[in-house]
Amino acid sequence: MSHAPIHTSNPHQADRMWLLLGGRIEPVRGTGEKRYLHEQFSHPLRTNGRRQDVPAKLLSRLNQLLKRRAANDSRWSQP
């Protein structure tokens, strides 16, 4: 089983992936920041919502979620 990490600089694509993987995105009022929440992480991730790039920490968490999802995929388990 091979897992290819994602590399994107498109914030809209990263947000869509986060939501598809079961996360939530909340705006932080009055600051222009976004809060990324997921049940598998104990601390939320806060990013600048005005920037037009994807922070490395968000990419790292997306790749962790993809890796966990691939590891728990029943298609790859032994019968």
Side-chain angles (χ1 to χ4, degrees), residues 3 15 17-19 22 27 29 32-33 39-40 42 47-48 55-56 60 62 66-68 78-79:
H3 165 71
D15 287 352
M17 289 183 68
W18 184 262
L19 294 172
R29 290 186 57 145
E33 292 182 335
E39 63 184 21
Q40 293 187 7
S42 60
T47 64
N48 185 342
S60 174
L62 282 170
L66 289 171
K67 193 178 223 181
R68 286 181 187 170
Q78 298 289 336

Side-chain angles (χ1 to χ4, degrees), residues 3-77:
H3 165 71
I6 60 162
H7 302 285
T8 183
S9 60
N10 184 344
H12 302 293
Q13 182 182 9
D15 287 352
R16 282 193 306 266
M17 289 183 68
W18 184 262
L19 294 172
L20 287 172
L21 291 170
R24 292 181 304 151
I25 302 172
E26 297 177 351
V28 179
R29 290 186 57 145
T31 64
E33 292 182 335
K34 293 180 185 178
R35 184 179 296 129
Y36 292 84
L37 304 156
H38 199 282
E39 63 184 21
Q40 293 187 7
F41 298 108
S42 60
H43 298 296
L45 177 65
R46 287 176 67 155
T47 64
N48 185 342
R50 295 184 202 108
R51 292 187 59 168
Q52 295 301 313
D53 63 348
V54 180
K57 186 64 177 177
L58 179 57
L59 282 176
S60 174
R61 286 196 178 185
L62 282 170
N63 284 319
Q64 286 175 5
L65 288 171
L66 289 171
K67 193 178 223 181
R68 286 181 187 170
R69 190 172 184 197
N72 294 329
D73 193 351
S74 61
R75 291 181 291 173
W76 298 102
S77 63

